[in-house]
PDB file of all heavy atoms in Angstrom:
ATOM      1  N   GLU A 272     -46.265 -14.466   9.253  1.00  0.00           N
ATOM      2  CA  GLU A 272     -45.088 -13.874   8.778  1.00  0.00           C
ATOM      3  C   GLU A 272     -45.225 -12.741   7.927  1.00  0.00           C
ATOM      4  O   GLU A 272     -46.386 -12.579   7.337  1.00  0.00           O
ATOM      5  CB  GLU A 272     -44.383 -14.976   8.026  1.00  0.00           C
ATOM      6  CG  GLU A 272     -43.914 -16.088   8.878  1.00  0.00           C
ATOM      7  CD  GLU A 272     -43.031 -17.214   8.204  1.00  0.00           C
ATOM      8  OE1 GLU A 272     -43.099 -17.170   6.993  1.00  0.00           O
ATOM      9  OE2 GLU A 272     -42.511 -18.037   8.911  1.00  0.00           O
ATOM     10  N   PHE A 273     -44.215 -11.770   7.833  1.00  0.00           N
ATOM     11  CA  PHE A 273     -44.272 -10.665   7.004  1.00  0.00           C
ATOM     12  C   PHE A 273     -43.025 -10.626   6.197  1.00  0.00           C
ATOM     13  O   PHE A 273     -41.819 -10.568   6.739  1.00  0.00           O
ATOM     14  CB  PHE A 273     -44.350  -9.349   8.007  1.00  0.00           C
ATOM     15  CG  PHE A 273     -44.508  -8.089   7.194  1.00  0.00           C
ATOM     16  CD1 PHE A 273     -45.829  -7.652   6.826  1.00  0.00           C
ATOM     17  CD2 PHE A 273     -43.493  -7.391   6.758  1.00  0.00           C
ATOM     18  CE1 PHE A 273     -45.977  -6.450   6.080  1.00  0.00           C
ATOM     19  CE2 PHE A 273     -43.506  -6.270   6.052  1.00  0.00           C
ATOM     20  CZ  PHE A 273     -44.775  -5.752   5.658  1.00  0.00           C
ATOM     21  N   ALA A 274     -43.176 -10.638   4.814  1.00  0.00           N
ATOM     22  CA  ALA A 274     -42.070 -10.792   3.976  1.00  0.00           C
ATOM     23  C   ALA A 274     -41.217  -9.503   3.763  1.00  0.00           C
ATOM     24  O   ALA A 274     -40.034  -9.434   3.843  1.00  0.00           O
ATOM     25  CB  ALA A 274     -42.478 -11.357   2.632  1.00  0.00           C
ATOM     26  N   ALA A 275     -42.029  -8.400   3.359  1.00  0.00           N
ATOM     27  CA  ALA A 275     -41.209  -7.189   2.976  1.00  0.00           C
ATOM     28  C   ALA A 275     -42.075  -5.921   2.960  1.00  0.00           C
ATOM     29  O   ALA A 275     -43.359  -6.037   2.664  1.00  0.00           O
ATOM     30  CB  ALA A 275     -40.610  -7.315   1.569  1.00  0.00           C
ATOM     31  N   TRP A 276     -41.502  -4.848   3.311  1.00  0.00           N
ATOM     32  CA  TRP A 276     -42.177  -3.471   3.086  1.00  0.00           C
ATOM     33  C   TRP A 276     -41.618  -2.992   1.819  1.00  0.00           C
ATOM     34  O   TRP A 276     -40.524  -2.785   1.631  1.00  0.00           O
ATOM     35  CB  TRP A 276     -41.685  -2.559   4.325  1.00  0.00           C
ATOM     36  CG  TRP A 276     -42.119  -1.297   4.267  1.00  0.00           C
ATOM     37  CD1 TRP A 276     -42.622  -0.466   3.186  1.00  0.00           C
ATOM     38  CD2 TRP A 276     -42.268  -0.333   5.362  1.00  0.00           C
ATOM     39  NE1 TRP A 276     -43.031   0.785   3.509  1.00  0.00           N
ATOM     40  CE2 TRP A 276     -42.762   0.971   4.954  1.00  0.00           C
ATOM     41  CE3 TRP A 276     -41.887  -0.512   6.718  1.00  0.00           C
ATOM     42  CZ2 TRP A 276     -42.999   1.938   5.790  1.00  0.00           C
ATOM     43  CZ3 TRP A 276     -42.070   0.490   7.539  1.00  0.00           C
ATOM     44  CH2 TRP A 276     -42.632   1.814   7.081  1.00  0.00           C
ATOM     45  N   VAL A 277     -42.588  -2.801   0.829  1.00  0.00           N
ATOM     46  CA  VAL A 277     -42.094  -2.412  -0.509  1.00  0.00           C
ATOM     47  C   VAL A 277     -42.556  -0.982  -0.684  1.00  0.00           C
ATOM     48  O   VAL A 277     -43.664  -0.456  -0.294  1.00  0.00           O
ATOM     49  CB  VAL A 277     -42.881  -3.191  -1.542  1.00  0.00           C
ATOM     50  CG1 VAL A 277     -42.593  -2.888  -3.007  1.00  0.00           C
ATOM     51  CG2 VAL A 277     -42.593  -4.738  -1.261  1.00  0.00           C
ATOM     52  N   SER A 278     -41.650  -0.130  -1.268  1.00  0.00           N
ATOM     53  CA  SER A 278     -41.879   1.294  -1.515  1.00  0.00           C
ATOM     54  C   SER A 278     -41.269   1.719  -2.804  1.00  0.00           C
ATOM     55  O   SER A 278     -40.547   0.976  -3.476  1.00  0.00           O
ATOM     56  CB  SER A 278     -41.297   2.120  -0.399  1.00  0.00           C
ATOM     57  OG  SER A 278     -39.882   1.988  -0.259  1.00  0.00           O
ATOM     58  N   GLY A 279     -41.388   3.014  -3.112  1.00  0.00           N
ATOM     59  CA  GLY A 279     -40.802   3.559  -4.256  1.00  0.00           C
ATOM     60  C   GLY A 279     -39.884   4.810  -3.799  1.00  0.00           C
ATOM     61  O   GLY A 279     -38.926   4.675  -3.130  1.00  0.00           O
ATOM     62  N   HIS A 280     -40.336   6.016  -4.140  1.00  0.00           N
ATOM     63  CA  HIS A 280     -39.904   7.326  -3.690  1.00  0.00           C
ATOM     64  C   HIS A 280     -38.475   7.532  -4.132  1.00  0.00           C
ATOM     65  O   HIS A 280     -38.112   8.660  -4.644  1.00  0.00           O
ATOM     66  CB  HIS A 280     -39.995   7.482  -2.249  1.00  0.00           C
ATOM     67  CG  HIS A 280     -39.546   8.854  -1.753  1.00  0.00           C
ATOM     68  ND1 HIS A 280     -40.322   9.950  -2.139  1.00  0.00           N
ATOM     69  CD2 HIS A 280     -38.494   9.376  -1.049  1.00  0.00           C
ATOM     70  CE1 HIS A 280     -39.724  11.021  -1.587  1.00  0.00           C
ATOM     71  NE2 HIS A 280     -38.598  10.638  -1.006  1.00  0.00           N
ATOM     72  N   THR A 281     -37.534   6.636  -3.828  1.00  0.00           N
ATOM     73  CA  THR A 281     -36.130   6.821  -4.020  1.00  0.00           C
ATOM     74  C   THR A 281     -35.900   6.813  -5.559  1.00  0.00           C
ATOM     75  O   THR A 281     -34.711   7.373  -6.017  1.00  0.00           O
ATOM     76  CB  THR A 281     -35.231   5.791  -3.428  1.00  0.00           C
ATOM     77  OG1 THR A 281     -35.619   4.526  -3.864  1.00  0.00           O
ATOM     78  CG2 THR A 281     -35.385   5.876  -1.829  1.00  0.00           C
ATOM     79  N   HIS A 282     -36.602   6.164  -6.382  1.00  0.00           N
ATOM     80  CA  HIS A 282     -36.433   6.017  -7.792  1.00  0.00           C
ATOM     81  C   HIS A 282     -35.206   5.145  -8.162  1.00  0.00           C
ATOM     82  O   HIS A 282     -34.689   5.249  -9.298  1.00  0.00           O
ATOM     83  CB  HIS A 282     -36.368   7.311  -8.510  1.00  0.00           C
ATOM     84  CG  HIS A 282     -37.649   8.092  -8.445  1.00  0.00           C
ATOM     85  ND1 HIS A 282     -38.017   9.069  -9.438  1.00  0.00           N
ATOM     86  CD2 HIS A 282     -38.700   7.942  -7.636  1.00  0.00           C
ATOM     87  CE1 HIS A 282     -39.258   9.521  -9.069  1.00  0.00           C
ATOM     88  NE2 HIS A 282     -39.656   8.940  -8.032  1.00  0.00           N
ATOM     89  N   VAL A 283     -34.755   4.443  -7.119  1.00  0.00           N
ATOM     90  CA  VAL A 283     -33.678   3.450  -7.356  1.00  0.00           C
ATOM     91  C   VAL A 283     -33.888   2.134  -6.637  1.00  0.00           C
ATOM     92  O   VAL A 283     -34.798   2.158  -5.756  1.00  0.00           O
ATOM     93  CB  VAL A 283     -32.269   3.910  -6.879  1.00  0.00           C
ATOM     94  CG1 VAL A 283     -31.865   5.186  -7.594  1.00  0.00           C
ATOM     95  CG2 VAL A 283     -32.317   4.270  -5.320  1.00  0.00           C
ATOM     96  N   ASP A 284     -33.340   1.078  -7.096  1.00  0.00           N
ATOM     97  CA  ASP A 284     -33.532  -0.181  -6.456  1.00  0.00           C
ATOM     98  C   ASP A 284     -32.645  -0.188  -5.188  1.00  0.00           C
ATOM     99  O   ASP A 284     -31.458   0.075  -5.246  1.00  0.00           O
ATOM    100  CB  ASP A 284     -33.090  -1.426  -7.317  1.00  0.00           C
ATOM    101  CG  ASP A 284     -33.958  -1.603  -8.582  1.00  0.00           C
ATOM    102  OD1 ASP A 284     -35.226  -1.159  -8.414  1.00  0.00           O
ATOM    103  OD2 ASP A 284     -33.495  -2.033  -9.596  1.00  0.00           O
ATOM    104  N   ARG A 285     -33.241  -0.479  -4.079  1.00  0.00           N
ATOM    105  CA  ARG A 285     -32.510  -0.468  -2.816  1.00  0.00           C
ATOM    106  C   ARG A 285     -33.134  -1.404  -1.824  1.00  0.00           C
ATOM    107  O   ARG A 285     -34.217  -1.759  -1.894  1.00  0.00           O
ATOM    108  CB  ARG A 285     -32.664   1.000  -2.120  1.00  0.00           C
ATOM    109  CG  ARG A 285     -31.895   1.089  -0.883  1.00  0.00           C
ATOM    110  CD  ARG A 285     -32.057   2.500  -0.271  1.00  0.00           C
ATOM    111  NE  ARG A 285     -31.507   3.441  -1.150  1.00  0.00           N
ATOM    112  CZ  ARG A 285     -31.783   4.761  -1.121  1.00  0.00           C
ATOM    113  NH1 ARG A 285     -32.588   5.269  -0.166  1.00  0.00           N
ATOM    114  NH2 ARG A 285     -31.157   5.623  -1.854  1.00  0.00           N
ATOM    115  N   VAL A 286     -32.327  -2.028  -0.986  1.00  0.00           N
ATOM    116  CA  VAL A 286     -32.708  -2.937   0.050  1.00  0.00           C
ATOM    117  C   VAL A 286     -32.056  -2.613   1.423  1.00  0.00           C
ATOM    118  O   VAL A 286     -30.959  -2.128   1.347  1.00  0.00           O
ATOM    119  CB  VAL A 286     -32.452  -4.415  -0.477  1.00  0.00           C
ATOM    120  CG1 VAL A 286     -30.976  -4.680  -0.468  1.00  0.00           C
ATOM    121  CG2 VAL A 286     -33.153  -5.336   0.634  1.00  0.00           C
ATOM    122  N   ALA A 287     -32.829  -2.686   2.389  1.00  0.00           N
ATOM    123  CA  ALA A 287     -32.250  -2.422   3.734  1.00  0.00           C
ATOM    124  C   ALA A 287     -33.168  -3.263   4.690  1.00  0.00           C
ATOM    125  O   ALA A 287     -34.326  -3.646   4.437  1.00  0.00           O
ATOM    126  CB  ALA A 287     -32.367  -0.937   4.144  1.00  0.00           C
ATOM    127  N   VAL A 288     -32.545  -3.583   5.890  1.00  0.00           N
ATOM    128  CA  VAL A 288     -33.349  -4.243   6.872  1.00  0.00           C
ATOM    129  C   VAL A 288     -33.449  -3.240   8.061  1.00  0.00           C
ATOM    130  O   VAL A 288     -32.414  -2.731   8.554  1.00  0.00           O
ATOM    131  CB  VAL A 288     -32.646  -5.554   7.458  1.00  0.00           C
ATOM    132  CG1 VAL A 288     -33.441  -6.122   8.550  1.00  0.00           C
ATOM    133  CG2 VAL A 288     -32.583  -6.517   6.225  1.00  0.00           C
ATOM    134  N   VAL A 289     -34.679  -2.886   8.460  1.00  0.00           N
ATOM    135  CA  VAL A 289     -35.031  -1.922   9.527  1.00  0.00           C
ATOM    136  C   VAL A 289     -35.705  -2.620  10.622  1.00  0.00           C
ATOM    137  O   VAL A 289     -36.872  -3.029  10.411  1.00  0.00           O
ATOM    138  CB  VAL A 289     -35.678  -0.759   8.939  1.00  0.00           C
ATOM    139  CG1 VAL A 289     -36.012   0.271  10.059  1.00  0.00           C
ATOM    140  CG2 VAL A 289     -34.945  -0.020   7.733  1.00  0.00           C
ATOM    141  N   GLU A 290     -35.114  -2.753  11.719  1.00  0.00           N
ATOM    142  CA  GLU A 290     -35.738  -3.319  12.985  1.00  0.00           C
ATOM    143  C   GLU A 290     -36.279  -4.710  12.535  1.00  0.00           C
ATOM    144  O   GLU A 290     -37.315  -5.123  12.983  1.00  0.00           O
ATOM    145  CB  GLU A 290     -36.880  -2.464  13.506  1.00  0.00           C
ATOM    146  CG  GLU A 290     -36.308  -1.222  14.112  1.00  0.00           C
ATOM    147  CD  GLU A 290     -37.537  -0.383  14.746  1.00  0.00           C
ATOM    148  OE1 GLU A 290     -38.591  -0.898  15.133  1.00  0.00           O
ATOM    149  OE2 GLU A 290     -37.309   0.841  14.804  1.00  0.00           O
ATOM    150  N   GLY A 291     -35.445  -5.459  11.795  1.00  0.00           N
ATOM    151  CA  GLY A 291     -35.808  -6.774  11.432  1.00  0.00           C
ATOM    152  C   GLY A 291     -36.749  -6.889  10.323  1.00  0.00           C
ATOM    153  O   GLY A 291     -37.141  -8.054   9.884  1.00  0.00           O
ATOM    154  N   THR A 292     -37.103  -5.844   9.646  1.00  0.00           N
ATOM    155  CA  THR A 292     -38.082  -5.848   8.617  1.00  0.00           C
ATOM    156  C   THR A 292     -37.355  -5.578   7.215  1.00  0.00           C
ATOM    157  O   THR A 292     -36.671  -4.566   7.171  1.00  0.00           O
ATOM    158  CB  THR A 292     -39.180  -4.725   8.775  1.00  0.00           C
ATOM    159  OG1 THR A 292     -39.956  -5.192   9.971  1.00  0.00           O
ATOM    160  CG2 THR A 292     -40.062  -4.803   7.603  1.00  0.00           C
ATOM    161  N   LEU A 293     -37.441  -6.537   6.205  1.00  0.00           N
ATOM    162  CA  LEU A 293     -36.839  -6.292   4.951  1.00  0.00           C
ATOM    163  C   LEU A 293     -37.670  -5.131   4.194  1.00  0.00           C
ATOM    164  O   LEU A 293     -38.855  -5.172   4.151  1.00  0.00           O
ATOM    165  CB  LEU A 293     -37.018  -7.559   4.187  1.00  0.00           C
ATOM    166  CG  LEU A 293     -36.453  -7.557   2.708  1.00  0.00           C
ATOM    167  CD1 LEU A 293     -34.970  -7.153   2.630  1.00  0.00           C
ATOM    168  CD2 LEU A 293     -36.981  -8.718   1.900  1.00  0.00           C
ATOM    169  N   CYS A 294     -36.981  -4.119   3.845  1.00  0.00           N
ATOM    170  CA  CYS A 294     -37.438  -2.998   3.110  1.00  0.00           C
ATOM    171  C   CYS A 294     -36.885  -2.939   1.730  1.00  0.00           C
ATOM    172  O   CYS A 294     -35.645  -2.718   1.736  1.00  0.00           O
ATOM    173  CB  CYS A 294     -37.208  -1.558   3.875  1.00  0.00           C
ATOM    174  SG  CYS A 294     -37.845  -1.495   5.494  1.00  0.00           S
ATOM    175  N   THR A 295     -37.692  -2.962   0.684  1.00  0.00           N
ATOM    176  CA  THR A 295     -37.156  -2.906  -0.641  1.00  0.00           C
ATOM    177  C   THR A 295     -37.820  -1.725  -1.279  1.00  0.00           C
ATOM    178  O   THR A 295     -39.081  -1.303  -1.097  1.00  0.00           O
ATOM    179  CB  THR A 295     -37.517  -4.109  -1.518  1.00  0.00           C
ATOM    180  OG1 THR A 295     -38.906  -4.266  -1.695  1.00  0.00           O
ATOM    181  CG2 THR A 295     -36.933  -5.402  -0.817  1.00  0.00           C
ATOM    182  N   SER A 296     -37.077  -0.941  -2.111  1.00  0.00           N
ATOM    183  CA  SER A 296     -37.637   0.084  -2.913  1.00  0.00           C
ATOM    184  C   SER A 296     -37.281  -0.165  -4.374  1.00  0.00           C
ATOM    185  O   SER A 296     -36.285  -0.972  -4.639  1.00  0.00           O
ATOM    186  CB  SER A 296     -37.022   1.525  -2.557  1.00  0.00           C
ATOM    187  OG  SER A 296     -35.689   1.582  -2.701  1.00  0.00           O
ATOM    188  N   ILE A 297     -38.039   0.288  -5.281  1.00  0.00           N
ATOM    189  CA  ILE A 297     -37.802  -0.008  -6.785  1.00  0.00           C
ATOM    190  C   ILE A 297     -37.701   1.371  -7.410  1.00  0.00           C
ATOM    191  O   ILE A 297     -38.270   2.351  -7.034  1.00  0.00           O
ATOM    192  CB  ILE A 297     -38.840  -0.880  -7.376  1.00  0.00           C
ATOM    193  CG1 ILE A 297     -40.289  -0.182  -7.494  1.00  0.00           C
ATOM    194  CG2 ILE A 297     -38.970  -2.097  -6.581  1.00  0.00           C
ATOM    195  CD1 ILE A 297     -41.208  -0.823  -8.325  1.00  0.00           C
ATOM    196  N   MET A 298     -37.078   1.361  -8.559  1.00  0.00           N
ATOM    197  CA  MET A 298     -36.842   2.507  -9.416  1.00  0.00           C
ATOM    198  C   MET A 298     -38.219   2.885  -9.990  1.00  0.00           C
ATOM    199  O   MET A 298     -39.096   2.071  -9.951  1.00  0.00           O
ATOM    200  CB  MET A 298     -35.882   2.304 -10.499  1.00  0.00           C
ATOM    201  CG  MET A 298     -36.265   1.319 -11.572  1.00  0.00           C
ATOM    202  SD  MET A 298     -35.175   1.257 -12.902  1.00  0.00           S
ATOM    203  CE  MET A 298     -33.709   0.412 -12.205  1.00  0.00           C
ATOM    204  N   SER A 299     -38.425   4.136 -10.358  1.00  0.00           N
ATOM    205  CA  SER A 299     -39.615   4.464 -10.925  1.00  0.00           C
ATOM    206  C   SER A 299     -39.863   3.922 -12.368  1.00  0.00           C
ATOM    207  O   SER A 299     -38.920   3.504 -13.095  1.00  0.00           O
ATOM    208  CB  SER A 299     -39.747   5.928 -11.083  1.00  0.00           C
ATOM    209  OG  SER A 299     -38.701   6.505 -11.940  1.00  0.00           O
ATOM    210  N   ASP A 300     -41.230   3.809 -12.700  1.00  0.00           N
ATOM    211  CA  ASP A 300     -41.558   3.251 -14.063  1.00  0.00           C
ATOM    212  C   ASP A 300     -41.597   4.454 -15.045  1.00  0.00           C
ATOM    213  O   ASP A 300     -42.700   4.687 -15.711  1.00  0.00           O
ATOM    214  CB  ASP A 300     -42.908   2.421 -13.932  1.00  0.00           C
ATOM    215  CG  ASP A 300     -43.294   1.889 -15.294  1.00  0.00           C
ATOM    216  OD1 ASP A 300     -42.391   1.350 -15.946  1.00  0.00           O
ATOM    217  OD2 ASP A 300     -44.386   1.797 -15.639  1.00  0.00           O
ATOM    218  N   TRP A 301     -40.512   5.171 -15.222  1.00  0.00           N
ATOM    219  CA  TRP A 301     -40.486   6.220 -16.261  1.00  0.00           C
ATOM    220  C   TRP A 301     -38.981   6.396 -16.628  1.00  0.00           C
ATOM    221  O   TRP A 301     -38.187   5.816 -15.893  1.00  0.00           O
ATOM    222  CB  TRP A 301     -41.248   7.485 -15.836  1.00  0.00           C
ATOM    223  CG  TRP A 301     -40.476   8.202 -14.743  1.00  0.00           C
ATOM    224  CD1 TRP A 301     -40.484   7.789 -13.428  1.00  0.00           C
ATOM    225  CD2 TRP A 301     -39.767   9.381 -14.826  1.00  0.00           C
ATOM    226  NE1 TRP A 301     -39.786   8.799 -12.687  1.00  0.00           N
ATOM    227  CE2 TRP A 301     -39.320   9.743 -13.512  1.00  0.00           C
ATOM    228  CE3 TRP A 301     -39.336  10.212 -15.875  1.00  0.00           C
ATOM    229  CZ2 TRP A 301     -38.578  10.855 -13.143  1.00  0.00           C
ATOM    230  CZ3 TRP A 301     -38.641  11.340 -15.609  1.00  0.00           C
ATOM    231  CH2 TRP A 301     -38.289  11.671 -14.298  1.00  0.00           C
ATOM    232  N   ASN A 302     -38.791   6.936 -17.656  1.00  0.00           N
ATOM    233  CA  ASN A 302     -37.371   7.009 -18.105  1.00  0.00           C
ATOM    234  C   ASN A 302     -36.545   7.994 -17.326  1.00  0.00           C
ATOM    235  O   ASN A 302     -36.180   9.114 -17.735  1.00  0.00           O
ATOM    236  CB  ASN A 302     -37.325   7.446 -19.611  1.00  0.00           C
ATOM    237  CG  ASN A 302     -35.992   7.306 -20.250  1.00  0.00           C
ATOM    238  OD1 ASN A 302     -35.118   6.682 -19.664  1.00  0.00           O
ATOM    239  ND2 ASN A 302     -35.818   7.884 -21.425  1.00  0.00           N
ATOM    240  N   HIS A 303     -36.275   7.634 -16.190  1.00  0.00           N
ATOM    241  CA  HIS A 303     -35.509   8.382 -15.169  1.00  0.00           C
ATOM    242  C   HIS A 303     -33.982   7.787 -15.120  1.00  0.00           C
ATOM    243  O   HIS A 303     -33.828   6.748 -14.801  1.00  0.00           O
ATOM    244  CB  HIS A 303     -36.040   8.367 -13.804  1.00  0.00           C
ATOM    245  CG  HIS A 303     -35.302   9.038 -12.773  1.00  0.00           C
ATOM    246  ND1 HIS A 303     -35.177  10.390 -12.626  1.00  0.00           N
ATOM    247  CD2 HIS A 303     -34.526   8.452 -11.723  1.00  0.00           C
ATOM    248  CE1 HIS A 303     -34.377  10.638 -11.543  1.00  0.00           C
ATOM    249  NE2 HIS A 303     -34.013   9.594 -10.961  1.00  0.00           N
ATOM    250  N   GLN A 304     -33.037   8.637 -15.571  1.00  0.00           N
ATOM    251  CA  GLN A 304     -31.712   8.160 -15.620  1.00  0.00           C
ATOM    252  C   GLN A 304     -30.942   8.743 -14.519  1.00  0.00           C
ATOM    253  O   GLN A 304     -30.506   9.909 -14.476  1.00  0.00           O
ATOM    254  CB  GLN A 304     -31.003   8.506 -17.034  1.00  0.00           C
ATOM    255  CG  GLN A 304     -29.667   7.885 -17.192  1.00  0.00           C
ATOM    256  CD  GLN A 304     -29.725   6.378 -17.329  1.00  0.00           C
ATOM    257  OE1 GLN A 304     -30.538   5.808 -17.920  1.00  0.00           O
ATOM    258  NE2 GLN A 304     -28.826   5.725 -16.607  1.00  0.00           N
ATOM    259  N   SER A 305     -30.671   8.002 -13.434  1.00  0.00           N
ATOM    260  CA  SER A 305     -29.913   8.393 -12.322  1.00  0.00           C
ATOM    261  C   SER A 305     -28.496   8.056 -12.437  1.00  0.00           C
ATOM    262  O   SER A 305     -28.219   7.142 -13.153  1.00  0.00           O
ATOM    263  CB  SER A 305     -30.484   7.681 -11.029  1.00  0.00           C
ATOM    264  OG  SER A 305     -29.530   7.887  -9.953  1.00  0.00           O
ATOM    265  N   ALA A 306     -27.655   8.890 -11.925  1.00  0.00           N
ATOM    266  CA  ALA A 306     -26.209   8.601 -11.913  1.00  0.00           C
ATOM    267  C   ALA A 306     -25.843   7.227 -11.318  1.00  0.00           C
ATOM    268  O   ALA A 306     -24.844   6.651 -11.687  1.00  0.00           O
ATOM    269  CB  ALA A 306     -25.472   9.744 -11.245  1.00  0.00           C
ATOM    270  N   SER A 307     -26.637   6.783 -10.379  1.00  0.00           N
ATOM    271  CA  SER A 307     -26.329   5.542  -9.783  1.00  0.00           C
ATOM    272  C   SER A 307     -26.716   4.309 -10.512  1.00  0.00           C
ATOM    273  O   SER A 307     -26.308   3.251 -10.166  1.00  0.00           O
ATOM    274  CB  SER A 307     -27.019   5.455  -8.353  1.00  0.00           C
ATOM    275  OG  SER A 307     -28.394   5.440  -8.488  1.00  0.00           O
ATOM    276  N   LEU A 308     -27.354   4.469 -11.660  1.00  0.00           N
ATOM    277  CA  LEU A 308     -27.869   3.346 -12.498  1.00  0.00           C
ATOM    278  C   LEU A 308     -26.634   2.899 -13.352  1.00  0.00           C
ATOM    279  O   LEU A 308     -25.888   3.653 -13.812  1.00  0.00           O
ATOM    280  CB  LEU A 308     -29.061   3.750 -13.424  1.00  0.00           C
ATOM    281  CG  LEU A 308     -30.269   4.082 -12.769  1.00  0.00           C
ATOM    282  CD1 LEU A 308     -31.314   4.506 -13.815  1.00  0.00           C
ATOM    283  CD2 LEU A 308     -30.813   2.997 -11.824  1.00  0.00           C
ATOM    284  N   THR A 309     -26.553   1.520 -13.492  1.00  0.00           N
ATOM    285  CA  THR A 309     -25.476   0.936 -14.143  1.00  0.00           C
ATOM    286  C   THR A 309     -25.888   0.520 -15.573  1.00  0.00           C
ATOM    287  O   THR A 309     -25.160  -0.244 -16.333  1.00  0.00           O
ATOM    288  CB  THR A 309     -24.895  -0.293 -13.420  1.00  0.00           C
ATOM    289  OG1 THR A 309     -25.937  -1.228 -13.293  1.00  0.00           O
ATOM    290  CG2 THR A 309     -24.323   0.051 -12.163  1.00  0.00           C
ATOM    291  N   PHE A 310     -27.004   0.899 -15.946  1.00  0.00           N
ATOM    292  CA  PHE A 310     -27.553   0.601 -17.255  1.00  0.00           C
ATOM    293  C   PHE A 310     -28.306   1.794 -17.846  1.00  0.00           C
ATOM    294  O   PHE A 310     -28.641   2.744 -17.207  1.00  0.00           O
ATOM    295  CB  PHE A 310     -28.474  -0.669 -17.278  1.00  0.00           C
ATOM    296  CG  PHE A 310     -29.514  -0.495 -16.168  1.00  0.00           C
ATOM    297  CD1 PHE A 310     -30.686   0.162 -16.356  1.00  0.00           C
ATOM    298  CD2 PHE A 310     -29.300  -1.049 -14.963  1.00  0.00           C
ATOM    299  CE1 PHE A 310     -31.623   0.326 -15.400  1.00  0.00           C
ATOM    300  CE2 PHE A 310     -30.248  -0.839 -13.914  1.00  0.00           C
ATOM    301  CZ  PHE A 310     -31.368  -0.273 -14.209  1.00  0.00           C
ATOM    302  N   GLU A 311     -28.528   1.840 -19.128  1.00  0.00           N
ATOM    303  CA  GLU A 311     -29.254   2.882 -19.811  1.00  0.00           C
ATOM    304  C   GLU A 311     -30.695   2.659 -20.034  1.00  0.00           C
ATOM    305  O   GLU A 311     -31.092   1.635 -20.310  1.00  0.00           O
ATOM    306  CB  GLU A 311     -28.550   3.069 -21.240  1.00  0.00           C
ATOM    307  CG  GLU A 311     -28.849   4.331 -21.948  1.00  0.00           C
ATOM    308  CD  GLU A 311     -28.169   5.528 -21.285  1.00  0.00           C
ATOM    309  OE1 GLU A 311     -27.048   5.406 -20.762  1.00  0.00           O
ATOM    310  OE2 GLU A 311     -28.684   6.623 -21.414  1.00  0.00           O
ATOM    311  N   ARG A 312     -31.530   3.684 -19.629  1.00  0.00           N
ATOM    312  CA  ARG A 312     -32.926   3.663 -19.862  1.00  0.00           C
ATOM    313  C   ARG A 312     -33.237   4.313 -21.182  1.00  0.00           C
ATOM    314  O   ARG A 312     -32.778   5.450 -21.433  1.00  0.00           O
ATOM    315  CB  ARG A 312     -33.592   4.308 -18.761  1.00  0.00           C
ATOM    316  CG  ARG A 312     -33.304   3.518 -17.396  1.00  0.00           C
ATOM    317  CD  ARG A 312     -34.175   3.773 -16.281  1.00  0.00           C
ATOM    318  NE  ARG A 312     -35.589   3.269 -16.575  1.00  0.00           N
ATOM    319  CZ  ARG A 312     -36.563   3.357 -15.610  1.00  0.00           C
ATOM    320  NH1 ARG A 312     -36.229   3.956 -14.496  1.00  0.00           N
ATOM    321  NH2 ARG A 312     -37.681   2.961 -15.916  1.00  0.00           N
TER     322      ARG A 312
END
């Protein structure tokens, strides 16, 4: 079994399923304040 493809790049938390594969991305580990964030860094 394969649980997830984990990535960064987008600098936001995101999830998608591509060809049956769960793809998750995470925000960056630095004080990056994107307009799409619902909280303050």
Side-chain angles (χ1 to χ4, degrees):
E272 295 186 347
F273 185 87
W276 178 338
V277 181
S278 66
H280 185 70
T281 60
H282 295 203
V283 296
D284 293 334
R285 182 181 296 161
V286 63
V288 176
V289 179
E290 295 183 23
T292 297
L293 176 66
C294 298
T295 66
S296 64
I297 69 168
M298 71 174 70
S299 62
D300 185 38
W301 67 288
N302 191 12
H303 173 75
Q304 188 66 45
S305 167
S307 65
L308 295 180
T309 58
F310 48 84
E311 197 67 32
R312 298 197 66 180

